[in-house]
Structure formats: C-alpha cells, structure tokens
Amino acid sequence: MRAIEPFSRSAASLHEGAYARPALRARRAALAGGLAALAALAGCNQTSRMHTGSIGPSPAASASATALRGEKPLSEMSAEELAGAVRAYGARYDGNPKDKDNGLAFASALQMTGRNDQSLAVMQQMAIAHPNDRDVLSAYGKALAAAGDLPKALETVRRAQTPDRPDWRLLSAEGAILDQLGQPQKARVLYEKALVIQPSEPSILSNLGMSYLLANDLPKAESYLSRAVAQPGADARVRQNLALVMGLQGRFDEAERTASAVLSPEEAKANVVYLRQMLSQKNTWSELAAEDRG
C-alpha cells in the first residue's frame, strides 16, 4: 500500500497545543508505526517518512525516471520492478554522479524502497553539483523530510520557492512538512494556496485529506480523498489513502474493494487484515482521540 508509508515518521497532534505532550506524541508515533507497517505488509515499496503520500518524487524526478526507463512511473511499480530501477539508476549514478536527471530518479527510487538515508546522501551530492537548481532543491528538501530532518527540509523547500512565481508542488510539500511538525492549520493554508494555482489537483487534495486524517476528522478526510480519487491523474497512492480512511472507520469490505483497484486481491486483503488487527489493539485511533480531548 504505497500511499500509507508517510506515517512512519509522523507524530502530528489532533491540535497544535497537544503536540508538545510527550505521552500523546509517543502514542501517536506508535500508531504511525503501525500504519507504516501496513505499507510494507503486502510487499509495497514506498516507506518514505512523508505523511501525505503526495510529496513524493518531484516532477523532474518523475519525468526523468519515466524517460530513462521508457515505462510506467515509479509510483506504479512493484517492489521487484523498483529494485531493478534502483540498480539501473545506481549504475548510471556511479558512472556520472553529477547527472541531474538520473540523480533525481535514483534518489526518488531509493526513497520508495525505504532507503531514505542513502537517498539523502545522493541528493546532498546533487545539491552540491546544482546549488541553484529549483528541481534539485525541491527534491533535496523532500529527501531531508523523508530522512526525518524536518526543520532543514522546511528551510530547503522554502528556499526553492519563488514568491513571484510560486510552485504549487513546493507549496504542497511545505504543507506536508508543517503537518508533520504539528502545524496543521498553517499546512492547510498552503494546500489551499496550491489549489488556487492548480485547481482539483489530486495530490494536493490527498494531502488535505491526510491532514484531516491526522487530526482524526475521518469524514472530512474521506471527503477530500474521494474528490482526489475522482480527478484525472490520481495515482495509486491516493486511492490507497482513501482505502485507509475507510478502514479506519470500520468499513473494511469497502476499503478492500477500493484498494483492490490498485493492488492485487491478496495484497488488498492482507492490508485490511493488518488494519483490523492494529485497530483491535489497545493503542487504537479512538483512544488517541479520547486522550487528546482529555
């Protein structure tokens, strides 16, 4: 379940004021870890620490990767296909570590296989070779976030932005980082600004949906994710995020059907089984919400 991976790092609160409470933060991080395991369970491959799923590969990285392979995007590849892509990009990187297109694609593929530290190391080299390149700075910020260095990620993404010609992808990426830092209201302002530039963009709508998911507002999360899935260009990660929200509301059959549109029936079923088990444990979503209200 590729789109659920971002929860492996997130410990966002239901409200900004609650974010500083260590006990709640630890319990929320435990739940996040459980959702991350959901991504790995069925052989899924993205284990980035970004929590919305749509901050992933930059446009340049995605285009470069597709052009180099002449096949489907990274986000739609199986674990085996991604492993092959990592080997191919790695070999090209060894031959020319300053090549921008291959470097971006290599770093993106590494993130999708959970090798976040290596992805960051590649992007550090890219940033040295291309210090003023907007695509590189954007991808570097995302790699920093995936590796857990959120303050530096925020600084880097903001540095890549240009106020006179703002990039909606960078606005959405900055929002995703702020969500992870426990600042959902500020994050949503940025998502809305991104939607003004790129109306109905599924990745932004997905980010908004996952922002509300972290705030335990599941109906609102589902509303945004349903809108995202209905848009042309919505990828597998968006549909899987919607399946997650359905499952968290106890609609497991519906979640399995939704996930089956982009996963094999066995993978979709395995993810739902794991979700059932996770929610039946003591550290449940509802308990987290109750503790936050307390």
Side-chain angles (χ1 to χ4, degrees):
M1 190 172 282
R2 296 185 182 90
I4 302 175
E5 90 290 340
F7 285 94
S8 61
R9 180 69 187 177
S10 173
S13 64
L14 302 185
H15 304 289
E16 284 190 54
Y19 187 76
R21 288 183 288 179
L24 178 58
R25 183 167 49 190
R27 286 166 63 80
R28 210 174 289 283
L31 175 64
L35 292 173
L38 205 56
L41 181 67
C44 302
N45 42 49
Q46 286 187 348
T47 51
S48 160
R49 290 172 177 174
M50 298 311 299
H51 81 266
T52 60
S54 58
I55 192 174
S58 69
S62 298
S64 301
T66 303
L68 286 168
R69 293 189 320 279
E71 53 190 53
K72 58 188 172 185
L74 290 173
S75 63
E76 298 177 8
M77 295 179 73
S78 68
E80 184 177 350
E81 289 169 331
L82 267 177
V86 167
R87 289 192 294 271
Y89 299 146
R92 294 188 185 100
Y93 179 80
D94 290 341
N96 183 7
K98 294 184 179 181
D99 183 282
K100 171 187 166 181
D101 290 344
N102 185 71
L104 292 175
F106 185 32
S108 182
L110 286 167
Q111 282 186 40
M112 290 186 175
T113 56
R115 294 158 68 175
N116 294 324
D117 291 342
Q118 186 179 355
S119 174
L120 177 57
V122 170
M123 285 313 309
Q124 286 171 334
Q125 294 305 309
M126 289 292 101
I128 291 171
H130 308 276
N132 299 312
D133 189 286
R134 193 176 189 184
D135 291 333
V136 170
L137 288 174
S138 173
Y140 182 33
K142 294 169 186 178
L144 285 163
D149 192 344
L150 297 176
K152 191 170 182 180
L154 186 62
E155 175 190 345
T156 302
V157 168
R158 284 174 171 170
R159 185 158 58 95
Q161 187 63 274
T162 51
D164 57 328
R165 292 186 61 83
D167 187 320
W168 65 266
R169 297 175 183 88
L170 289 172
L171 289 170
S172 191
E174 183 180 348
I177 296 168
L178 288 173
D179 257 327
Q180 289 188 93
L181 288 169
Q183 301 178 46
Q185 298 305 323
K186 291 181 179 179
R188 291 168 199 165
V189 168
L190 291 172
Y191 298 144
E192 295 294 349
K193 287 182 178 180
L195 283 172
V196 170
I197 300 172
Q198 194 75 8
S200 300
E201 164 59 37
S203 64
I204 306 171
L205 292 170
S206 180
N207 269 3
L208 264 168
M210 298 305 277
S211 180
Y212 283 104
L213 170 58
L214 289 175
N216 199 36
D217 189 341
L218 299 181
K220 200 157 190 177
E222 182 175 351
S223 174
Y224 278 111
L225 288 164
S226 295
R227 283 176 57 193
V229 165
Q231 304 304 317
D235 66 19
R237 295 169 296 174
V238 178
R239 183 169 291 274
Q240 290 164 39
N241 281 341
L242 177 59
L244 171 63
V245 171
M246 291 173 173
L248 287 170
Q249 294 176 89
R251 290 155 41 209
F252 298 111
D253 291 343
E254 192 174 352
E256 187 173 336
R257 287 195 301 271
T258 299
S260 293
V262 290
L263 298 174
S264 72
E266 294 77 15
E267 289 174 331
K269 185 173 183 179
N271 278 289
V272 169
V273 167
Y274 182 85
L275 182 59
R276 283 179 181 269
Q277 293 172 345
M278 188 186 71
L279 293 178
S280 69
Q281 294 173 358
K282 189 173 182 180
N283 186 29
T284 64
W285 194 268
S286 59
E287 283 185 324
L288 285 173
E291 182 175 338
D292 186 75
R293 289 192 299 268

